[in-house]
Amino acid sequence: MKRRSAALEILNLKELSVHRGLWENQWLLSSVISHLYTPLTGAIRIPTVSFSPENVNATALAEFGEYIRTVFPTVFKTSFIRHEVIGEYSHLLTVRGSDPSLQPYMLMAHSDVVPAPDEGWEVPPFSGLERDGFIHGRGTLDNKNSLMAILQALELLLNRNYIPRRSFFIALGHDEEVSGQNGAQKISALLQARDIKLAFIVDEGNFILDGFIPHLKKPFAMIAVSEKGSINLRLEVNMTPGHSSAPPKETSIGILAAAVSRLEQTPMPNMFGSGPLKMTLQELAHEFSFPANIILSNLWLFGPLVSRLMERNYITNALVRTTTALTMFNAGVKVNVIPPVAQAIINIRIHPAQTVQEVLDLVKNIVADNRVQFHVLTAFDPLPVSPSDHQALGYQLLRQTIQSIFPEVSTVVPGICIGNTDSRHYTNLTTSIYRFNPLYLHPQSFRSIHGINEKISVPAYETQVKFIFEFIQNADADQEPAPHQHEL
Ligand SMILES: CCCCCCCC/C=C\CCCCCCCC(=O)N[C@@H](CC(N)=O)C(=O)O
Ligand SMILES: [Zn+2]
Ligand SMILES: [Zn+2]
C-alpha cells in the first residue's frame, strides 16, 4: 500500500538528530499514516483562486477554512491555541508557550492561489491527483504546501503532547496573491494593537536552489533576508475614435504598443554591487571550483564580469536589476472602430538599491511620449534587509534546521526574494523577516510557480513537514552561540 509505506519511510529516517525520539515513538504512527500527505491533496482540490482584491473565490475560501478544521482537529481544539478568523477567510493561530519570558515568533503561509486554466497541464490543476510520486496542482509549491505542512507538523507535535516553550503565531493569509490587504494587513494591525513584538518571522520565498548557476553542481539554501519592491502601473492612451476605413496616422493601440515595446527593449540599469547580492555571492564563492571561486571572492575586481554573466540568464538577471514585465493589454471594441482607449499593465519589481520614485522617473523617460498617461495602481519600496549574523535567532534556527534535515546541503546563504510575500506587511512587528521554503527548487519547477504543471514530490512534502516539526522544537531549545558556517 503506497500511502502507508511512504508514511513509514518518514519514521525510518535516521537523520533526525535533534528530536528523533518523537518520531520513533510508535504512538505517532497512526496519526502519521492517516494525515501525512492526504491533507495536501484535499487542499489542492479546493479552488481558492484570487483574481483581484475584489474578486476572490469566497466559497472556496470558506470551504478551505472548514477543511483545515476537519483534517487538523487537535490544532483547533487545543486549549493553549487560540484560533481567530480575520478578514473573513484568513486565520491567526496563537500558540501560547509555557515560558512567557521567550519572545514569540511567527510562521506564515497563504491559502489563495493564482488562476490556472486547464490548458497545458498534464494533470488538471485542481484535481490534486497523485501520480508518479508527485502531488499535482496549483498551490503545491505556492503555497498550500507550506500552509498544510505547518498545521500538519503542529498536529503531530500536539498528538505527542508536546507543549511549546516559546509562544508562536501562525498567520495564514487568504489574499496574498492580490496584495494581502484583507488578510496579512489586518492580522498585522491586530497584533500591533495587542502590542506584540516578534523575534522573527518565517514566510514563503526562496528555496534550496539546484541548477540555477552554471558550473555549480551542489545545491545551496538561500534564505531571503529582503524582497524586491514593486509597482503595478497602468499605461493609457486616449485618442479620438472613428471609422476604420480612414485611419489616422497613429492610433491609441499603436502609440501604446510602441511605448510598451520601448519599455521591454530598454532594461533598467544594472545595479550589481549594491544590495545583498554581493554578500550572497561572497558566501557562495567557496562552493565553486577554480577560477570561479577566485572571481567571486574578488568582486572588487571581477564585479563587472560577474554582473554581465548574471544578466544573460533571465532568473539571475532579476537579481541585478529592476525588471519590467508587460502583463495585461486591453484595447478595441469592434473590428471596424478606431479604439478610443488602449491600456496596458506593467508589473515592475524594484531592485533593493532603487526606490519607487526613481523607477517611475526612469519609466517616464523611456516612454518619452506625453500622450501616454501613467496611473500607479500599487507601489512599495524594496523591503529592509533582515540580519543574518550569528546573533540573528531566526536566521540561525533556519540554518541549524536546514543542516539537520538536509545534511547534504553544506551552504546556507542570505539572499533576496525576487517575488513578494505577505511578510512585507509585518515590518511593524519585527526587523527579522526570513523567506524560505524547505524544498529543493530547480529551474523547471521555478517556471511552474504561477505557470503550468506545478507539482511537489511526496517525499519533498513529507520533508517539509519534518522540517517544521523540528524547527518548532529547535526554537524551544536553549540557544547556544552558533558555530561559524565556513569554519575549517
Ligand atoms: C545567485 C543565486 C541565483 C538565485 C536564483 C534565484 C531563484 C529564485 C528562487 C525563488 C524565487 C521564487 C519566488 C517565489 C515567491 C512567490 C511569492 C509570490 O508569488 N508572490 C506574488 C504575490 C505578491 N505577494 O505580490 C508576487 O507576485 O510576487
Ligand atoms: Zn506565494
Ligand atoms: Zn504566488
Side-chain angles (χ1 to χ4, degrees):
M1 208 164 65
K2 196 173 154 206
R3 195 169 306 265
R4 183 185 164 87
S5 62
L8 285 169
E9 217 173 85
I10 261 218
L11 290 175
N12 286 334
L13 286 169
K14 289 296 173 212
E15 70 268 36
L16 247 181
S17 53
V18 184
H19 302 287
R20 190 184 297 161
L22 288 183
W23 284 91
E24 284 177 348
N25 192 309
Q26 294 304 300
W27 204 77
L28 188 61
L29 194 58
S30 60
S31 151
V32 172
I33 289 172
S34 61
H35 284 308
L36 198 56
Y37 58 92
T38 43
L40 178 61
T41 60
I44 300 301
R45 289 186 190 130
I46 306 174
T48 50
V49 175
S50 290
F51 287 93
S52 70
E54 301 73 37
N55 186 1
V56 298
N57 187 340
T59 313
L61 288 168
E63 190 189 334
F64 195 86
E66 289 308 312
Y67 181 71
I68 54 175
R69 287 175 178 90
T70 307
V71 292
F72 302 118
T74 319
V75 169
F76 289 91
K77 68 159 200 256
T78 291
S79 60
F80 57 82
I81 300 181
R82 175 182 183 186
H83 172 227
E84 294 165 280
V85 176
I86 315 287
E88 290 191 82
Y89 309 109
S90 286
H91 300 268
L92 174 65
L93 295 158
T94 305
V95 183
R96 189 163 29 85
S98 58
D99 185 346
S101 73
L102 297 173
Q103 194 178 14
Y105 64 98
M106 182 151 89
L107 302 177
M108 293 179 57
H110 63 91
S111 58
D112 64 323
V113 295
V114 293
D118 277 355
E119 288 74 39
W121 284 73
E122 290 161 6
V123 165
F126 296 103
S127 60
L129 270 184
E130 240 183 83
R131 191 192 275 180
D132 303 330
F134 283 82
I135 302 167
H136 294 249
R138 177 61 86 229
T140 46
L141 294 174
D142 179 16
N143 177 245
K144 286 178 175 167
N145 56 316
S146 299
L147 188 152
M148 299 305 281
I150 291 169
L151 294 179
Q152 196 155 352
L154 181 56
E155 180 85 4
L156 288 171
L157 284 167
L158 295 169
N159 285 340
R160 281 290 304 114
N161 295 327
Y162 185 80
I163 299 177
R165 281 179 67 205
R166 187 186 290 273
S167 295
F168 62 100
F169 298 90
I170 298 176
L172 308 174
H174 73 275
D175 59 349
E176 189 272 352
E177 295 292 1
V178 289
S179 78
Q181 68 190 46
N182 289 314
Q185 227 170 307
K186 288 187 176 165
I187 297 175
S188 171
L190 178 72
L191 293 179
Q192 183 167 2
R194 289 179 184 164
D195 270 340
I196 302 292
K197 287 285 175 213
L198 299 170
F200 62 87
I201 287 177
V202 180
D203 194 5
E204 65 170 334
N206 284 5
F207 294 82
I208 297 171
L209 301 171
D210 197 3
F212 284 86
I213 306 182
H215 310 300
L216 183 58
K217 299 282 169 268
K218 282 171 72 181
F220 63 97
M222 192 197 259
I223 300 172
V225 291
S226 177
E227 62 187 59
K228 290 179 97 174
S230 158
I231 308 173
N232 283 311
L233 188 62
R234 190 175 75 225
L235 269 54
E236 189 171 306
V237 177
N238 289 274
M239 298 293 277
T240 312
H243 201 291
S244 61
S245 58
K249 196 160 169 283
E250 288 182 293
T251 59
S252 55
I253 291 182
I255 294 166
L256 186 63
V260 295
S261 176
R262 278 197 295 282
L263 277 174
E264 198 169 62
Q265 297 303 318
T266 317
M268 292 283 159
N270 184 327
M271 305 301 292
F272 183 88
S274 344
L277 179 61
K278 251 175 126 174
M279 178 168 67
T280 306
L281 295 176
Q282 276 157 356
E283 292 202 23
L284 258 186
H286 73 281
E287 285 285 344
F288 288 81
S289 48
F290 181 82
N293 55 348
I294 301 298
I295 291 173
L296 291 173
S297 306
N298 292 284
L299 290 175
W300 60 273
L301 180 61
F302 297 110
L305 170 71
V306 175
S307 101
R308 274 201 301 282
L309 291 173
M310 292 194 78
E311 283 182 323
R312 286 194 190 167
N313 169 282
Y314 75 103
I315 300 174
T316 48
N317 178 53
L319 296 171
V320 300
R321 59 163 39 90
T322 294
T323 55
T324 312
L326 317 179
T327 51
M328 294 168 91
F329 202 101
N330 194 18
V333 286
K334 192 173 181 309
V335 287
N336 58 355
V337 175
I338 299 293
V341 54
Q343 294 180 328
I345 305 283
I346 320 286
N347 181 256
I348 297 169
R349 307 296 176 130
I350 307 172
H351 185 276
Q354 290 178 313
T355 64
V356 169
Q357 197 49 57
E358 284 164 10
V359 171
L360 283 176
D361 291 345
L362 285 167
V363 167
K364 287 176 187 170
N365 279 336
I366 293 166
V367 169
D369 185 338
N370 55 18
R371 293 168 299 178
V372 180
Q373 297 162 22
F374 298 89
H375 303 270
V376 176
L377 304 177
T378 58
F380 53 89
D381 285 326
L383 276 292
V385 178
S386 300
S388 55
D389 57 78
H390 295 164
Q391 309 304 318
L393 176 65
Y395 189 88
Q396 292 304 335
L397 283 171
L398 281 170
R399 195 183 56 76
Q400 176 193 354
T401 315
I402 292 166
Q403 288 177 342
S404 162
I405 301 291
F406 303 96
E408 71 286 6
V409 175
S410 52
T411 300
V412 179
V413 294
I416 182 151
C417 186
I418 57 175
N420 292 117
T421 70
D422 258 353
S423 69
R424 69 189 169 83
H425 296 297
Y426 293 89
T427 49
N428 52 337
L429 304 181
T430 182
T431 52
S432 301
I433 300 182
Y434 304 104
R435 302 139 186 101
F436 178 71
N437 296 288
L439 294 174
Y440 275 83
L441 189 77
H442 306 95
Q444 194 186 348
S445 34
F446 171 73
R447 282 186 283 272
S448 76
I449 299 175
H450 292 203
I452 57 172
N453 297 325
E454 188 179 345
K455 60 185 175 186
I456 189 169
S457 78
V458 172
Y461 176 66
E462 291 172 351
T463 304
Q464 187 165 8
V465 176
K466 192 156 67 104
F467 185 95
I468 298 159
F469 182 89
E470 182 168 324
F471 184 89
I472 292 171
Q473 294 171 82
N474 287 343
D476 285 341
D478 291 320
Q479 295 305 310
E480 287 164 23
H484 192 286
Q485 207 176 320
H486 303 306
E487 248 167 25
L488 285 173

